[in-house]
Amino acid sequence: MSKLEAKVKPRIGLLPTGHKIYWSQYPSLKDRGTEMYQKLMDKLAEYGEVVSPGLVDTYESAVEAAKVLSEGNIDILLIFPFGYTTGMMIVPVVKAVDVPIRILNAHEDASYDYKRADTELYLHHEGACCVPEYSGTLVSLGKKFKVLTGHFGEEQFWDEIQHACLGAAAATAYTQCRFAVIGNTYTNMCDMPVDEHRVLKATGQLICRPEVEEVEEAYKAVTEEEIRKMYREFYEFYEVDESVKEEHMYESARIAAAFDMIIQKYHIDAFGFYWWGVKPHMTELRAQSALAVSRLAAMDIPGVTEGDIKTAMAMKILNLMGGGGMFLEFFSSDFDENFIMMGHDGPSNVSVAEGKPKLQNLTVHHGKTGEGLGIDFNMKEGPCTLLNLTQFGTDKTYKLIYSVGEVISGDILNIGNPNCRVRVHKPIPEFFNDWCCEGPGHHTALGVGDFSEEIEVFAEKMGFDCVQI
C-alpha cells in the first residue's frame, strides 16, 4: 500500500534576471547575484527538477531563454531578479510558456548594514525595485501571476514555493489521467452524471467505460494462485473480525484480482462504479467489492461507489499532492461541539487510516442491495482538506470547492464503515450555506493535510474555477 506522499516531481522553470549595464560599473555585482542564484537553485532541487537558461540580462538573451524554457516541459515559472532589471527581460519567456508564474521578490539576506553599504551592495539588494514593473507587464499581457516575498532564511517563503510547484506538477499529471465508470450511476442521483466533454477538455480523453460483463469474465478467469496471494495480503493488512468467514475473504480476494485485471487492461487512474444487478451473482460482485476498490485507492487509483467519477477525480487530485484522498459525505452536524460527522459506506482509502483497519461482515449495505465485508478504521487526526469537483455553477471546465479543517478526536459511529469528526473554520450554519450555494455534489474527497496553496495553483493551471469556503 502507498504512503501519504506526493506522487509527482515538479519540473521548475527558473528565470534569473539582471541588468547588463551594471556589470561593468560594479565588477563584483554579477558574481554576488550569481552566487545567490546558485543557492536558490540548490534549494529548489530539493523539490524537483530545475530547468534554467541561466542569467538573462539583455533582450537577446531573453529570446534565447524563451526557447529553452518553452522546450523544457516546465510545470511552473519562477522569475528571480538579482536587482533592478527592465521588464523586457521577462516578456519573451512569459509569452512563450503557458504555466503558472511566480515572481520571487526575495533575497538571501533578511537585512543589511545600510549605514556602511556602498552603491554596489545596495544594488545587490534592489530586486524589489523591478517587481512592480514585472507585475504591470504581466497584467498588460493578460498573464496570471503571484508575487512570493521573503528571504532565504524564512521557512514560510520556501513552503509557498514548494506548494506552488507541487500544485502545478499535479495539474500536469492530471491532464494525462484516464478516468472511468464501470456500470452506471446510482439511480436518480442528480449530482452523479458528468458531462464527458468536460473530461475531454481536461484530459484529452472521454470517460473509459468497461462493461460490467468484463468484471464477471475477469472474475471467472482469476487463478487459484492469484486468489491465494490476494487472500494472504488481506489477512496481513487487516484486523479480521470473527464475523468474517473464510468464504468472505476468499470471495473478496477473487473479486479484487478481477478488478485488478480491468484497471490494468484499460490503464485507469481513477474510477466510479455501480450496478444493481439482476442476477444475484452480479449483485454480489458489486456488494463484495469494498476490499478490491479500497486496495486500489491505497495504491493511488481512487475508486468510489455509486458511480461518482467526479469525487474519484477530486480524490486523484489530493492523491497526486500527497493527501491520500478519502471518499466521504456529510453525516450530521454537532452544534454542541461544533463539528461535522463525515463518512461513507463501501470502499475506503486505507492509506489514511490511523492504525490497522478492521474488517467485519455486513449483512445489510444501507441503500444498496447485497451484503459483504465492511472496512472500518480511525482516520488520521490533524489538518485536512475537503475538496469537491463540480460542473455546476461555472462556465469553465470544472469548479473546485474546498475548505481546510481538522479531523478531531472524539466518539465516532460504530457502523462498520470509517467516519470521523471534521471541524471547519467557520460556524457550521455559515459553512453549509456557503458550501452548498456553490453547487457541489453530495460526496466530498478528504485529504490529510492542508492543500490550499496546491489546489489554487492546480486550478490556475487547469483553468478551473476555484472557491475556498
Side-chain angles (χ1 to χ4, degrees), residues 162-313:
Q162 185 176 16
H163 294 321
C165 292
L166 179 55
T172 300
Y174 200 72
T175 62
Q176 300 162 12
C177 285
R178 192 174 202 194
F179 301 118
V181 174
I182 306 173
N184 214 325
T185 57
Y186 191 103
T187 308
N188 291 333
M189 284 186 176
C190 295
D191 52 350
M192 294 301 102
V194 63
D195 177 353
E196 290 202 35
H197 280 272
R198 294 175 186 258
V199 178
L200 180 65
K201 188 174 181 180
T203 68
Q205 301 184 71
L206 293 172
I207 291 176
C208 175
R209 293 186 179 274
E211 298 289 347
V212 176
E213 286 88 347
E214 292 184 74
V215 180
E216 183 180 26
E217 292 304 309
Y219 173 88
K220 295 175 183 177
V222 174
T223 66
E224 193 67 26
E225 182 180 349
E226 290 170 329
I227 296 171
R228 291 296 172 187
K229 181 180 178 182
M230 192 74 71
Y231 180 94
R232 289 192 297 270
E233 181 180 318
F234 286 156
Y235 260 109
E236 289 173 4
F237 192 77
Y238 289 99
E239 181 182 321
V240 182
D241 184 80
E242 60 183 12
S243 66
V244 179
K245 308 303 180 186
E246 290 294 311
E247 57 266 28
H248 298 144
M249 293 292 282
Y250 184 90
E251 188 71 0
S252 291
R254 187 172 181 179
I255 293 171
F259 265 83
D260 273 12
M261 289 184 194
I262 302 302
I263 298 304
Q264 291 169 15
K265 177 181 178 181
Y266 291 103
H267 307 289
I268 294 167
D269 295 291
F271 65 101
F273 74 102
Y274 197 77
W275 59 89
W276 292 100
V278 176
K279 298 180 293 186
H281 172 64
M282 291 306 299
T283 299
E284 293 309 312
L285 277 182
R286 188 260 307 151
Q288 299 192 55
S289 62
L291 266 67
V293 181
S294 298
R295 175 177 175 274
L296 289 166
M299 295 173 65
D300 308 322
I301 304 171
V304 302
T305 187
E306 299 174 6
D308 187 3
I309 184 58
K310 292 192 294 297
T311 299
M313 291 166 68

Side-chain angles (χ1 to χ4, degrees), residues 7-8 75 166-179 194 198-205 269-270 302 309-321 387-390 397-400 458-459 461-464:
K7 312 303 176 185
V8 291
D75 299 312
L166 179 55
T172 300
Y174 200 72
T175 62
Q176 300 162 12
C177 285
R178 192 174 202 194
F179 301 118
V194 63
R198 294 175 186 258
V199 178
L200 180 65
K201 188 174 181 180
T203 68
Q205 301 184 71
D269 295 291
I309 184 58
K310 292 192 294 297
T311 299
M313 291 166 68
M315 290 167 64
K316 187 62 182 179
I317 295 171
L318 293 169
N319 167 261
L320 290 169
M321 295 173 180
L387 178 64
N388 191 279
L389 182 145
T390 182
T397 311
Y398 288 107
K399 176 164 61 177
L400 297 179
F458 178 94
K461 188 170 184 185
M462 293 295 300
F464 292 178

Side-chain angles (χ1 to χ4, degrees), residues 10 19 33 38 76 118 121 142 167 170 172 175 192 201 218 232 282 331 343 367 378 403 414 445:
H19 197 34
Q38 188 60 53
I76 191 169
D118 58 13
L121 187 58
T172 300
T175 62
M192 294 301 102
K201 188 174 181 180
R232 289 192 297 270
M282 291 306 299
F331 276 4
N378 291 325
S403 185
N414 183 23

Side-chain angles (χ1 to χ4, degrees), residues 73-205:
N73 297 318
I74 60 173
D75 299 312
I76 191 169
L77 175 65
L78 308 181
I79 300 173
F80 180 59
F82 285 5
Y84 172 75
T85 77
T86 63
M88 285 304 292
M89 297 305 98
I90 70 169
V91 169
V93 173
V94 299
K95 286 179 68 66
V97 299
D98 185 20
V99 295
I101 299 169
R102 297 295 181 265
I103 303 173
L104 304 186
N105 178 29
H107 203 277
E108 59 187 334
D109 298 331
S111 182
Y112 66 102
D113 189 341
Y114 309 109
K115 186 174 182 179
R116 292 185 173 85
D118 58 13
T119 302
E120 182 177 285
L121 187 58
Y122 131 67
L123 290 173
H124 175 56
H125 290 86
E126 204 197 12
C129 180
C130 62
V131 172
E133 181 178 343
Y134 282 7
S135 301
T137 302
L138 291 171
V139 171
S140 173
L141 294 173
K143 293 285 187 175
K144 289 186 177 181
F145 68 96
K146 285 188 178 180
V147 177
L148 304 184
T149 299
H151 62 89
F152 287 10
E154 188 177 12
E155 198 61 37
Q156 182 178 345
F157 170 70
W158 295 115
D159 285 346
E160 289 178 344
I161 293 176
Q162 185 176 16
H163 294 321
C165 292
L166 179 55
T172 300
Y174 200 72
T175 62
Q176 300 162 12
C177 285
R178 192 174 202 194
F179 301 118
V181 174
I182 306 173
N184 214 325
T185 57
Y186 191 103
T187 308
N188 291 333
M189 284 186 176
C190 295
D191 52 350
M192 294 301 102
V194 63
D195 177 353
E196 290 202 35
H197 280 272
R198 294 175 186 258
V199 178
L200 180 65
K201 188 174 181 180
T203 68
Q205 301 184 71

Side-chain angles (χ1 to χ4, degrees), residues 383-457:
C384 69
T385 303
L386 302 178
L387 178 64
N388 191 279
L389 182 145
T390 182
Q391 64 186 37
F392 305 140
T394 178
D395 294 327
K396 296 186 178 179
T397 311
Y398 288 107
K399 176 164 61 177
L400 297 179
I401 310 165
Y402 76 94
S403 185
V404 176
E406 182 181 8
V407 176
I408 61 174
S409 62
D411 293 336
I412 57 175
L413 301 169
N414 183 23
I415 55 175
N417 301 123
N419 56 96
C420 61
R421 298 175 171 215
V422 176
R423 180 170 289 151
V424 293
H425 299 313
K426 282 187 172 186
I428 291 175
E430 184 180 346
F431 168 81
F432 264 102
N433 180 70
D434 293 349
W435 182 273
C436 293
C437 284
E438 292 296 335
H442 77 276
H443 296 144
T444 293
L446 180 147
V448 176
D450 179 347
F451 292 95
S452 51
E453 290 291 329
E454 288 90 338
I455 289 170
E456 292 283 348
V457 178

